[in-house]
Amino acid sequence: MIKSKSLVLYKKQPAAVTETGEKYTIEFCTAPATPTGKKAQYATQKVRDKDIILLHEGPISSLEAVLTAAENVAVAEEMDAKLIEAWELLVSDDSTATEPISVKDLAELSLGSFSADSSWAFYKKLSSHTHFAENIDGDPLMFVPRTEDEISALKKKLYEKEHEADIRAALIARLKEKKLDLPGDAKYMQEVEALALGQTDKSKLMKEAGFKETPEKAHKLLLDTGIWTIFKNPHPSRRGLSMQSATEHLPHPPENEERLELDCTAWAIDNAWSTDPDDAISYDGTYLWVHIADPASTVTPDSKIDITARNRGSTLYIPEGAARMLSEESLEDYALGLCEYKDGKPTGKKSKALSFRLRLDENGAITDSAVIKTLVHVERLTYEQADERRDTPELAPLFEIADRNLKRRTASGAVSIELPEVHISLTGQEVTITPTEKPLASGMIREMMLLAGEAAAKFAFKNGIPFPFVSQEKPDIPKDIPAGLAGQYRLRRSMRSRSVGVTPSQHAGLGLGMYSQVTSPLRRYSDLIAHIQLRAFLDGRDLLDKDTMLERISAGDAAAGNASKAERESNMHWTLVYLRQHPNWTGKGIAVEIRGKQAVFLIPELAQETLITPRKVPELNDTVTLKAGNINIPELSVTFQEV
């Protein structure tokens, strides 16, 4: 029972108990006295027992005496010194240094007594003391001695707060000189990092130091001051993209679903570095089969996984690695062929696929198609391995079908463009750029995927399925297309942008009357939503209507476009890092366009182009030797000069 004239804490401020009973009446200060002579203002209030904390059972002389004692500077200074002495006594015995001690016991240890009128002054000093911390997990009147490291950190923090203006001014001066005191200054640069990563559009620090507030300038400042190195790639983050794969694990594929089990072997053929095979092909003598991974067997519209995939749009492929649209853990279940081997040994399982069965005429045109849920045995090959086996009974028919399809498309106006491509990889901090070869098998697989896309579009149109159709208007191709890379460059510039919608139309660039992308549901959202529609149709479930599909397609395509831009920017970033690492680099440039005294040169080994003024105006496809200079990683720019 708290007595009258006790001193309590009410909302962390002192209050005197004036009456007791079922509720306590307390007196507390509402406005302190002022130097101009205005007296302190007091008020009373009834409170419950749980609203107050007993600091001293009293009796106090008066609340005014308690408050006056707390304003005595000399007394406060003495308490400060005595508390330090008490801390030294406590920490001299390591076994008790971290044990909580009460305000009363600490007052008696340091001052020799715990008087009522000075109890608030002592508690107030103790609460803000550098050597003691409130025991936040227990009794608020219990305190714990801080360690020496904690005291040093707190003193530094208090000093910085007290001298904030001077510290800020010194920091600005160092920043202007780009000579920071690291690692200490790094914490102040977090806002600059946020600007460089696209997480904010302002930096007060940069503004005060006289720097323009842009992501590029922030990036340069971070490099110049040593906060970042050239190995920091900010571009995915700047576009709001995660560099981590999706985390939501897809459920295992349904085991009791009826599927057609195929006897033939299907071939998943891709680059050697591919780790997510989502398509495979086979030919049974009558039908061409294109087997596609089947994540839509468990991904339902507007599920968390569907929304995450839609927001990502596609898997992000950058030299640092892949940030997958669907979780890494799901690949084992859904990527074709991966479930058939574990630790290099066969599991006896077959891959679950959504397969497109195509019958073709002698010219390679599709005469009949079906979409079937299947079980199929998949074996993986690299493009190079497939090239070596192109004349075998298993693969020869596939190459022949691809050749016929290419001729058919070409006769319908398809435009084939072959420009240099490279593969950029990282080993630690070493960047490698390797020109991408064009194995025959890569062209064969492309034709198979186009056949599957054409078949899916026709199947959806025939059955009235709202679907993501891909179209492209006829290009305006000049009559005077030159030979070589110059001709390929001119062809590319004449092509029109593709569009995706729910209305089928010709894809002039591919030479197809209608087309849809369906062969990469593990890595492209438009393919995944196409599969969701196909499976709903096969299962007799409700389809997404055209308006909903258009909304889904637009969202996924916009996100995929954003990822594509981040990939291009990331590739350019690492290309510039490569040139920094190889300052004596020289390479061949091929003239592909003449603009007066200037010319555009393609650089095959970097897959870059540059506009320069050569020593003499070249002919198209002439070559010069180039070197790189003025490499600006934040601005993603480089100047090439003729050697």
Side-chain angles (χ1 to χ4, degrees):
M1 183 73 176
I2 298 176
K3 302 176 183 177
S4 180
K5 292 193 176 183
S6 295
L7 187 67
V8 297
L9 299 178
Y10 175 64
K11 296 182 179 180
K12 294 190 174 182
Q13 293 299 313
V17 176
T18 58
E19 293 182 18
T20 62
E22 186 176 341
K23 284 189 175 184
Y24 297 98
T25 301
I26 60 171
E27 179 188 25
F28 54 94
C29 182
T30 58
T34 66
T36 59
K38 189 174 181 180
K39 294 184 178 181
Q41 303 294 314
Y42 297 91
T44 59
Q45 183 172 326
K46 288 188 178 294
V47 296
R48 296 167 295 182
D49 183 73
K50 68 176 184 176
D51 296 329
I52 55 178
I53 298 169
L54 178 63
L55 179 60
H56 200 291
E57 61 184 8
I60 61 172
S61 302
S62 66
L63 182 58
E64 183 179 6
V66 168
L67 295 173
T68 300
E71 298 300 319
N72 190 314
V73 175
V75 170
E77 290 177 349
E78 182 183 0
M79 287 180 176
D80 182 74
K82 293 293 185 180
L83 278 169
I84 293 175
E85 292 176 6
W87 177 85
E88 290 172 347
L89 285 172
L90 291 170
V91 299
S92 64
D93 180 1
D94 290 339
S95 64
T96 60
T98 58
E99 291 296 319
I101 182 170
S102 70
V103 174
K104 180 178 182 294
D105 290 344
L106 198 49
E108 291 175 347
L109 176 64
S110 56
L111 304 178
S113 65
F114 185 50
S115 67
D117 285 357
S118 65
S119 60
W120 165 246
F122 183 77
Y123 175 82
K124 184 179 179 183
K125 171 55 67 176
L126 180 59
S127 297
S128 61
H129 204 274
T130 55
H131 288 54
F132 293 90
E134 185 178 333
N135 185 33
I136 58 175
D137 294 329
D139 188 336
L141 297 183
M142 300 292 287
F143 284 78
V144 179
R146 287 190 170 100
T147 65
E148 290 186 0
D149 288 344
E150 290 173 336
I151 293 168
S152 296
L154 182 58
K155 284 183 175 179
K156 183 179 179 182
K157 186 176 180 180
L158 293 171
Y159 177 85
E160 289 175 351
K161 185 175 182 181
E162 184 179 352
H163 299 84
E164 185 175 359
D166 293 338
I167 292 172
R168 184 80 172 183
L171 172 66
I172 296 298
R174 293 195 297 275
L175 192 58
K176 287 180 178 179
E177 295 293 322
K178 299 179 181 177
K179 294 180 180 178
L180 294 182
D181 184 10
L182 298 178
D185 284 346
K187 63 179 178 290
Y188 301 114
M189 297 293 284
Q190 291 177 358
E191 66 178 69
V192 181
E193 291 188 86
L195 176 56
L197 293 170
Q199 297 167 352
T200 182
D201 59 357
K202 296 184 184 302
S203 167
K204 185 179 179 182
L205 186 62
M206 288 184 68
K207 184 177 182 180
E208 290 177 6
F211 295 106
K212 190 175 180 181
E213 298 168 88
T214 68
E216 294 77 16
K217 295 299 183 185
H219 188 176
K220 184 176 188 305
L221 188 58
L222 292 165
L223 291 176
D224 290 344
T225 55
I227 300 294
W228 283 5
T229 70
I230 59 175
F231 303 103
K232 177 70 173 181
N233 171 20
H235 299 287
S237 175
R238 201 174 286 175
R239 292 196 171 274
L241 302 176
S242 171
M243 294 176 69
Q244 304 298 319
S245 296
T247 56
E248 186 81 9
H249 193 174
L250 275 67
H252 297 299
E255 292 294 337
N256 57 353
E257 188 173 37
E258 184 177 348
R259 290 179 180 270
L260 175 65
E261 187 167 0
L262 301 177
D263 295 328
C264 59
T265 295
W267 306 96
I269 305 172
D270 210 331
N271 288 301
W273 58 79
S274 173
T275 58
D276 51 0
D278 53 5
D279 57 73
I281 54 175
S282 60
Y283 182 64
D284 64 9
T286 302
Y287 295 108
L288 169 67
W289 293 82
V290 182
H291 312 284
I292 310 299
D294 194 18
S297 61
T298 56
V299 178
T300 55
D302 289 325
S303 63
K304 186 175 180 180
I305 293 172
D306 174 51
I307 293 170
T308 298
R310 190 187 316 156
N311 290 338
R312 286 177 177 258
S314 67
T315 290
L316 176 69
Y317 292 102
I318 54 178
E320 297 95 310
R324 302 193 187 282
M325 183 181 77
L326 302 176
S327 72
E328 292 274 359
E329 294 77 11
S330 300
L331 291 181
E332 186 176 337
D333 280 334
Y334 292 95
L336 298 184
L338 296 193
C339 68
E340 302 185 36
Y341 295 90
K342 190 173 183 64
D343 300 326
K345 298 178 181 179
T347 62
K349 296 181 180 179
K350 286 188 174 182
S351 295
K352 296 178 174 66
L354 190 66
S355 299
F356 296 84
R357 189 189 70 186
L358 285 63
R359 186 191 289 272
L360 308 173
D361 65 18
E362 64 278 3
N363 296 318
I366 301 170
T367 59
D368 181 56
S369 64
V371 183
I372 303 170
K373 292 178 281 187
T374 61
L375 284 172
V376 59
H377 170 56
V378 176
E379 291 193 15
R380 300 183 65 191
L381 295 174
T382 66
Y383 288 139
E384 292 74 18
Q385 290 170 333
D387 275 3
E388 293 172 0
R389 300 171 62 171
R390 68 184 302 267
D391 294 324
T392 61
E394 298 87 3
L395 298 188
L398 297 170
F399 278 92
E400 292 170 6
I401 290 169
D403 287 341
R404 286 201 302 271
N405 195 57
L406 177 58
K407 290 176 183 176
R408 176 179 71 95
R409 293 193 305 104
T410 302
S412 298
V415 180
S416 296
I417 300 174
E418 295 290 339
L419 288 170
E421 297 178 6
V422 297
H423 176 67
I424 304 174
S425 59
L426 291 174
T427 304
Q429 293 185 339
E430 184 65 30
V431 183
T432 303
I433 300 181
T434 308
T436 302
E437 301 295 332
K438 299 286 185 180
L440 294 173
S442 67
M444 181 267 285
I445 291 297
R446 170 180 164 81
E447 294 303 320
M448 297 300 169
M449 300 305 105
L450 292 176
L451 279 165
E454 182 184 9
K458 289 183 174 182
F459 183 88
F461 179 68
K462 176 182 176 181
N463 291 285
I465 303 172
F467 213 62
F469 296 100
V470 184
S471 60
Q472 185 182 47
E473 293 182 15
K474 187 176 180 180
D476 186 14
I477 299 176
K479 294 180 180 180
D480 56 338
I481 295 293
L485 276 183
Q488 297 298 297
Y489 183 79
R490 191 169 296 181
L491 276 175
R492 186 183 68 179
R493 289 175 62 85
S494 70
M495 300 303 292
R496 300 181 186 276
S497 299
R498 67 156 204 162
S499 61
V500 185
V502 293
T503 303
S505 184
Q506 72 165 346
H507 195 300
L510 296 177
L512 298 176
M514 64 176 68
Y515 175 66
S516 179
Q517 289 182 308
V518 294
T519 58
S520 295
L522 294 178
R523 42 186 166 182
R524 273 198 306 257
Y525 181 73
S526 62
D527 299 44
L528 177 61
I529 198 70
H531 276 236
I532 288 173
Q533 286 289 82
L534 289 172
R535 283 196 57 104
F537 176 80
L538 296 177
D539 296 341
R541 292 182 280 109
D542 290 340
L543 298 170
L544 298 174
D545 59 39
K546 284 189 174 182
D547 289 343
T548 304
M549 275 298 292
L550 190 58
E551 177 186 318
R552 300 285 194 274
I553 292 166
S554 298
D557 209 41
N562 199 35
S564 180
K565 291 174 183 175
E567 289 172 359
R568 288 197 298 271
E569 291 160 351
S570 296
N571 286 337
M572 188 62 184
H573 171 90
W574 291 111
T575 298
L576 297 182
V577 172
Y578 172 84
L579 291 173
R580 278 277 188 91
Q581 292 179 332
H582 299 82
N584 297 320
W585 175 90
T586 59
K588 181 175 69 174
I590 301 174
V592 293
E593 186 173 270
I594 311 301
R595 301 179 184 175
K597 292 183 179 182
Q598 293 186 308
V600 176
F601 286 86
L602 282 186
I603 308 169
E605 64 183 90
L606 299 178
Q608 295 292 323
E609 64 180 72
T610 184
L611 176 66
I612 67 170
T613 304
R615 295 190 184 97
K616 65 175 184 177
V617 178
E619 298 291 331
L620 290 177
N621 295 311
D622 280 356
T623 63
V624 298
T625 301
L626 300 172
K627 65 179 181 179
N630 299 323
I631 299 167
N632 190 326
I633 291 176
E635 298 288 344
L636 292 182
S637 66
V638 58
T639 300
F640 291 97
Q641 300 172 338
E642 188 175 0
V643 175

